[in-house]
Amino acid sequence: MWTIVLMLLVGCWAHQIVASDGIVFEDNMLLEGDRCQLRNGRPGQCRIQSACKTVGTGGLSLCRSGGSQLVVCCDVVQQQCDAVSISVESRVRDHLVGVTEKADVGEFPFMALVIYNTTENRCGATIISDKFLVSAAHCFKKFLFPIKVRVGTTDADDELARTYDIVKIHRHQRYNSVRRVNDIALIEVRDSIIMSRSVQPICLYTESTELPATQNLTVMGWGVDDTESLNVSRSLLKGVVRPILRNDCFQRLNKDSSFVRFNITDGHTCALGSANENGEATDACQGDSGGPLVLSQNDKYYLVGVVSTGPACGGIDLAGIYTWVSKYMDWIIDQKVWRNSLR
């Protein structure tokens, strides 16, 4: 009896010590690899302590420990970003439709091209780990068979560039092709992507607050660069766009009944750039789908959005619609995209 009481007292005393250090009791429902919540509210993943260099701010949270090592709630998104060793400076001036500018080799080392069983189809993707890339769910339909991704090049037809076989497409389970909501997918490749100066993952933007309309963002792709001929570009093109707040975007896209009604949710962001001399605004176009919308911050690129849809290419008072990546951070972590690269 006294032994049981002593154990209970010791347990309470241990709880007080742990809590005073800002550490919470372990959650026995969470195993290594499961998604967890950091003390600062951001999503994390349960990892053994030796594999986690970043636990977030506000104290340490524990998951169910196995063996002799603690399993902690790890800020895997920040840890992945810290591991990106190459910072690049963008030299963006023009855009993807109308007047265009070619990207330099290695300027966007996270950019990839999805290769299908037919040359008529084209989508972009963004490297986020050694085995996973982010793209748009609508790029993967029943009659479209993605085969490989091509990385480390600005030439869509570069046969010498490295390619990686696709083994699985993880489309968001709540993707709606009619309303174009949850338009996000992960591409899983068979072999680990070999990193170099021209091939690197991107950081993920995790803030939920909308970016100001004055913020310059970069969009890129191998899509249509001439809205009259609808020819796709062999060279990777880049351009500057700026955010349009969701309410404003909704009003712009739905004021004309001749367009399909667009539903703008907190899983979307909108953006459009300046117009050229022909009145054609900076915008993504057909074939750019799945590609990245990125923010340059602290000498690194952050993936803000994924090219999704829009009423027209380069419409001066309209907007391109992108999937807002930070909304899907929990879902991305649940797919265990960093299970290999962070060990």
Side-chain angles (χ1 to χ4, degrees), residues 293-304:
L293 176 69
V294 303
L295 167 69
S296 177
Q297 189 176 76
N298 301 323
D299 297 322
K300 290 187 178 181
Y301 282 120
Y302 289 80
L303 181 63
V304 170

Side-chain angles (χ1 to χ4, degrees), residues 52 99 126 132 146 149 177 191 210 238 257 282 318 335:
C52 180
V99 179
T126 310
F132 285 87
V149 291
S177 61
D191 300 318
E210 290 188 82
K238 59 183 180 179
S257 60
T282 307
L318 301 172
Q335 311 311 308

Side-chain angles (χ1 to χ4, degrees), residues 110-121:
F110 45 80
M111 187 65 190
L113 176 69
V114 181
I115 301 174
Y116 295 90
N117 60 323
T118 171
T119 57
E120 283 76 35
N121 297 290

Side-chain angles (χ1 to χ4, degrees), residues 34-297:
D34 288 348
R35 173 165 47 89
C36 53
Q37 188 175 52
L38 298 162
R39 296 293 296 278
N40 59 9
R42 287 176 52 171
Q45 185 180 44
C46 295
R47 304 190 71 86
I48 59 173
Q49 193 171 31
S50 62
C52 180
K53 298 182 177 68
T54 309
V55 296
T57 58
L60 188 68
S61 297
L62 302 182
C63 304
R64 182 175 175 179
S65 297
S68 58
Q69 290 204 58
L70 289 177
V71 178
V72 301
C73 188
C74 186
D75 192 342
V76 289
V77 178
Q78 185 60 50
Q79 183 167 331
Q80 178 273 333
C81 184
D82 292 341
V84 175
S85 59
I86 297 176
S87 61
V88 288
E89 180 182 356
S90 177
R91 296 171 293 284
V92 178
R93 291 184 293 275
D94 282 311
H95 50 87
L96 304 176
V97 289
V99 179
T100 59
E101 183 184 357
K102 295 180 181 180
D104 294 331
V105 175
E107 186 177 358
F108 305 113
F110 45 80
M111 187 65 190
L113 176 69
V114 181
I115 301 174
Y116 295 90
N117 60 323
T118 171
T119 57
E120 283 76 35
N121 297 290
R122 185 170 288 189
C123 271
T126 310
I127 301 170
I128 62 169
S129 77
D130 64 337
K131 295 294 287 289
F132 285 87
L133 303 90
V134 173
S135 190
H138 79 266
C139 286
F140 310 105
K141 303 172 184 177
K142 289 182 180 179
F143 56 87
L144 284 180
F145 299 98
I147 301 172
K148 301 174 183 288
V149 291
R150 179 171 287 148
V151 303
T153 185
T154 58
D155 184 346
D157 300 326
D158 187 355
E159 297 293 338
L160 298 179
R162 285 189 178 273
T163 60
Y164 293 88
D165 293 337
I166 296 172
V167 293
K168 188 174 183 180
I169 301 296
H170 305 258
R171 289 208 312 181
H172 194 281
Q173 65 275 13
R174 297 183 65 186
Y175 166 62
N176 185 306
S177 61
V178 176
R179 297 173 61 230
R180 198 57 69 84
V181 293
N182 305 312
D183 188 15
I184 189 169
L186 289 169
I187 301 170
E188 184 176 357
V189 294
R190 184 181 308 279
D191 300 318
S192 293
I193 298 172
I194 299 172
M195 303 301 172
S196 65
R197 286 199 61 81
S198 59
V199 180
Q200 285 281 318
I202 196 172
C203 296
L204 299 185
Y205 188 73
T206 60
E207 301 299 323
S208 59
T209 306
E210 290 188 82
L211 291 166
T214 55
Q215 177 68 59
N216 282 345
L217 303 173
T218 304
V219 62
M220 65 207 69
W222 287 279
V224 169
D225 63 345
D226 184 342
T227 54
E228 293 186 4
S229 67
L230 296 182
N231 291 327
V232 293
S233 175
R234 176 172 176 171
S235 299
L236 179 64
L237 304 178
K238 59 183 180 179
V240 174
V241 293
R242 282 169 287 280
I244 298 173
L245 297 180
R246 294 187 186 102
N247 286 340
D248 184 15
C249 182
F250 180 84
Q251 295 298 325
R252 290 187 186 204
L253 295 175
N254 294 295
K255 68 179 181 180
D256 190 336
S257 60
S258 63
F259 288 123
V260 175
R261 187 171 180 84
F262 288 91
N263 184 37
I264 305 301
T265 71
D266 61 355
H268 293 113
T269 191
C270 300
L272 197 66
S274 302
N276 65 4
E277 63 276 9
N278 298 320
E280 191 173 44
T282 307
D283 196 9
C285 204
Q286 288 91 346
D288 295 319
S289 291
L293 176 69
V294 303
L295 167 69
S296 177
Q297 189 176 76

